[in-house]
Amino acid sequence: MEKLWSKDYVLNIVGNLLLFVVFYLLMVYTTKLAITEFNVSVSEAGLASGIFIVGALVARLVISRYMDFIGRKRMLIIAVVIHAICTFGYHFIDGMLFLCTLRFVQGMTYGMASTVIATTVASIVPESRRGEGIGYFTLSITLGSAIGPFLGISLPQINPLYALVLCDVLSISLIVLAFILNITEIKVGFRQRVEVKSFRLRTFFEPTATPISIVALLGAIGYSAVMSYIGTYSETIGLLLGGSLFYIAYSIACLIFRPISGVMIDRYGNHVVMVPILFTMILGFVAIALAHSNLVLLLGAVLVGIGYGSIPSAGQIIAVQKVKLNKFSLATSTLYIALDLGNGIGPYILGMVVPIYGFRAVYMCSAIAALLAFLFYIGMIIKSRKENVVM
């Protein structure tokens, strides 16, 4: 069996974990900051939170084209240095305009850094263990999605400064890691030099990765309501215990199932994994929407953890299956753009539902988005079988 665990593989996982802890911590922190300090609506607070993702999306559109021209390591170092400068900027926020601008710029650096790291991992794991390798790698996202929101909720209750100081320390650690990480550069060929001068749609997106990216987009829209509003929602419906344990339950489900899903894709194919996880995601959002007890709310967390929690890893595996090594960055970027877009527009769109129908309706809308993802994937299967093409 080919070797999976190497020093650079582990360092990439650690770097991704640090990046996502800061991302999720500040996602929760800024939503509450906007509501409490600047007296804005829930939807406007969602915009302040989600504009970070819009910045990431913009960056990914550019980085997938120019990463190998600039150099992957150089791109990573530039990204984490500017990311750290933005992190220090949170100490000086004095209004919504400054907050949104800072969030947008830092989102761009996050998009740059996460794309470089994810592309590097997809390139260095053995092809025969790619599903397993990417599955373990994306556990760093899972841990970040658990640790970050937990710290973002708990630390400000002790002292608001603690959350920001921790982000400063983690951002500096990212800079150190970027300098010691070995990254294999891809030699740019003649065809890439010609393509990068073109502004056709296919030079920004990898066509073979687009279908799975649409599935990821719909799932991310649904999950964005969890990421941005679960704390406020659990408080509104009187389930504070379930809300405080939500991300822990979500993360445990991810930690258990993500590696399994990667191995199953390697052995049995995409559909054996994707169909059940998409259906499970639907059930998870419905459980959250209908929760009248802490147990049901936590059941929703587990189901969403199994469902949506597996999409980033399974999606990346599927996205790079049919592309050559020099297209890994574009395929990975296409998937991450979809995830970013869903997480970016979701809080604002779903936040508009709250004043009219309440928070429960938000999670029913999440379930509808998940249902559309499920139906779209089933359509992909039917289409591929008609064309006699293996997905």
Side-chain angles (χ1 to χ4, degrees):
M1 184 178 290
E2 295 178 275
K3 183 180 179 181
L4 174 62
W5 295 93
S6 64
K7 182 196 74 171
D8 290 323
Y9 178 68
V10 173
L11 288 177
N12 273 286
I13 292 175
V14 173
N16 208 51
L17 173 62
L18 297 179
L19 189 65
F20 274 85
V21 167
V22 175
F23 162 44
Y24 280 106
L25 192 160
L26 291 177
M27 180 74 77
V28 174
Y29 179 86
T30 52
T31 302
K32 188 170 184 180
L33 176 70
I35 294 172
T36 58
E37 296 296 324
F38 304 130
N39 196 30
V40 299
S41 68
V42 174
S43 182
E44 289 172 321
L47 176 62
S49 178
I51 199 170
F52 180 99
I53 306 299
V54 178
L57 188 155
V58 172
R60 292 193 202 281
L61 284 171
V62 177
I63 192 175
S64 61
R65 290 166 58 85
Y66 300 108
M67 181 194 302
D68 293 328
F69 290 85
I70 297 172
R72 295 181 179 183
K73 183 168 181 123
R74 184 180 302 167
M75 182 74 79
L76 180 60
I77 291 172
I78 293 170
V80 296
V81 169
I82 301 175
H83 181 274
I85 294 172
C86 290
T87 303
F88 292 130
Y90 283 85
H91 293 279
F92 307 101
I93 292 173
D94 58 0
M96 281 294 292
L97 180 60
F98 186 9
L99 174 61
C100 289
T101 303
L102 190 67
R103 294 286 292 165
F104 181 81
V105 174
Q106 190 175 39
M108 292 183 68
T109 65
Y110 155 82
M112 292 166 63
S114 59
T115 300
V116 173
I117 293 172
T119 302
T120 301
V121 167
S123 302
I124 64 176
V125 295
E127 185 175 357
S128 63
R129 302 182 69 182
R130 184 168 292 154
E132 182 183 2
I134 292 176
Y136 285 127
F137 165 72
T138 53
L139 287 180
S140 59
I141 302 176
T142 303
L143 289 173
S145 69
I147 298 170
F150 174 75
L151 295 174
I153 293 171
S154 59
L155 287 180
Q157 295 175 359
I158 304 171
N159 188 321
L161 190 62
Y162 289 173
L164 296 182
V165 170
L166 177 61
C167 288
D168 295 339
V169 173
L170 296 181
S171 296
I172 293 172
S173 301
L174 265 172
I175 295 175
V176 175
L177 189 143
F179 275 99
I180 65 175
L181 189 63
N182 292 318
I183 297 178
T184 302
E185 304 289 354
I186 299 295
K187 186 177 181 180
V188 178
F190 175 77
R191 185 173 180 178
Q192 279 183 281
R193 293 182 185 278
V194 172
E195 286 183 348
V196 81
K197 296 178 182 178
S198 170
F199 286 89
R200 292 178 302 169
L201 193 62
R202 67 176 297 135
T203 64
F204 289 91
F205 302 97
E206 173 54 43
T208 58
T210 301
I212 192 62
S213 298
I214 293 173
V215 173
L217 167 66
L218 292 167
I221 289 174
Y223 180 69
S224 70
V226 172
M227 186 168 57
S228 295
Y229 302 129
I230 197 66
T232 307
Y233 172 60
S234 61
E235 184 177 350
T236 301
I237 63 177
L239 301 178
L240 289 174
L241 178 62
S244 63
L245 297 176
F246 187 95
Y247 287 107
I248 296 175
Y250 169 86
S251 300
I252 291 173
C254 289
L255 286 168
I256 294 172
F257 196 77
R258 265 192 185 173
I260 296 174
S261 65
V263 173
M264 289 180 67
I265 285 179
D266 286 338
R267 294 182 180 178
Y268 304 111
N270 304 335
H271 308 329
V272 173
V273 174
M274 287 301 299
V275 172
I277 67 174
L278 291 173
F279 185 72
T280 303
M281 181 169 61
I282 299 170
L283 297 179
F285 289 134
V286 171
I288 295 171
L290 301 180
H292 287 280
S293 68
N294 289 309
L295 184 61
V296 175
L297 185 61
L298 292 176
L299 174 62
V302 171
L303 293 174
V304 172
I306 294 172
Y308 177 77
S310 299
I311 287 180
S313 57
Q316 188 179 357
I317 296 164
I318 296 171
V320 301
Q321 277 179 345
K322 295 181 180 179
V323 300
K324 296 180 180 179
L325 192 62
N326 64 354
K327 290 286 188 178
F328 273 25
S329 61
L330 189 60
T332 300
S333 176
T334 301
L335 176 73
Y336 275 61
I337 285 171
L339 291 168
D340 288 345
L341 181 61
N343 282 316
I345 65 176
Y348 184 68
I349 294 174
L350 297 179
M352 291 189 291
V353 175
V354 177
I356 306 172
Y357 300 107
F359 272 112
R360 292 192 186 277
V362 169
Y363 294 103
M364 287 306 297
C365 290
S366 294
I368 292 172
L371 175 62
L372 291 175
F374 177 80
L375 294 176
F376 184 83
Y377 191 82
I378 295 299
M380 288 167 57
I381 296 175
I382 295 172
K383 184 175 182 292
S384 67
R385 288 181 176 174
K386 283 182 178 179
E387 296 175 352
N388 196 27
V389 175
V390 178
M391 290 175 55

